[in-house]
Amino acid sequence: MPGRFTGLAIGAGLVTALAGGLALYGTGSPGGNGGAGPCAGSAGAMARVAAASRGEVAAMQAPLTPRPAPEIAFKGPDGAETRLSDLKGRLLLVNLWATWCAPCKAEMPALDRLQAARGGKDFSVVAINVDTRNLDKPPDWLKQNGIGRLAYYADPGGRVLPAIQRDTGSTGLPTTLLIDAQGCTIGVMKGPAEWSGADGLRLIEAALGAGS
């Protein structure tokens, strides 16, 4: 089973839920492509994200340069294979979670509230379950815990987690990527956050360029 645990508090909204610990993360820097290249136009959004990463979302880190998001494939809500690039055209908060990961489950209600509050044609939360056994358990857990606004994405084949780990340098869960409408990574979060709070909403609005 992946993941080791060590105690860490991440914001008032999650302290109680995370009393059991947080998956251990590596300190490696996210990979880069040596230059902005096809993501040169994403530099402004990345700068806004860096400036808005504070409070309950202070752990959101901008890569050295905006870079194409990893090309990963997973199961969509209809069970058909979906590629991350298929969802291009809107800001995406791509979150990897598992039922064996306590901090992942602790932040799912906040991700659900964020989708309810801000999801639409310009933004969506893409929460990808990475369980590879007992495949009925993740959707059942979501239903039992009232998580109803998030579309169900899953990777029962175990391909997504190692690909994201290689791309971000993260060795734990949850891991979250902020990907702009051009398909470029403009932020990486290693660990949970209170996504539906004022700081989380401000971060999303900054990434979208609202008010800029």
Side-chain angles (χ1 to χ4, degrees), residues 69-197:
E71 186 53 271
I72 53 176
F74 42 91
K75 300 293 185 182
D78 59 357
E81 182 165 292
T82 299
R83 304 190 76 81
L84 189 57
S85 57
D86 295 336
L87 305 177
K88 198 172 169 181
R90 68 183 69 182
L91 180 70
L92 302 175
L93 190 72
V94 179
N95 173 271
L96 270 57
W97 71 284
T99 57
W100 47 260
C101 168
C104 298
K105 293 189 291 185
E107 74 172 351
M108 291 303 289
L111 287 167
D112 195 54
R113 291 192 296 270
L114 176 60
Q115 176 64 24
R118 195 59 185 81
K121 64 180 182 180
D122 59 352
F123 170 71
S124 184
V125 177
V126 180
I128 305 172
N129 177 265
V130 297
D131 284 55
T132 56
R133 292 184 286 181
N134 302 318
L135 300 183
D136 290 337
K137 185 176 180 180
D140 286 347
W141 183 87
L142 292 173
K143 184 176 180 180
Q144 291 166 9
N145 287 273
I147 311 297
R149 301 303 294 266
L150 297 177
Y152 184 64
Y153 297 97
D155 177 40
R159 299 171 296 174
V160 168
L161 182 57
I164 295 298
Q165 288 175 332
R166 287 191 299 270
D167 184 74
T168 63
S170 176
T171 58
L173 286 177
T175 295
T176 305
L177 280 69
L178 190 59
I179 300 171
D180 70 9
Q182 288 69 50
C184 298
T185 299
I186 56 175
V188 176
M189 173 83 78
K190 300 176 182 180
E194 180 50 70
W195 293 107
S196 61

Side-chain angles (χ1 to χ4, degrees), residues 33-48 63-69 88 180-186:
N33 59 4
C39 292
S42 300
M46 191 178 75
R48 293 194 302 271
L64 295 178
T65 59
R67 63 184 189 275
K88 198 172 169 181
D180 70 9
Q182 288 69 50
C184 298
T185 299
I186 56 175

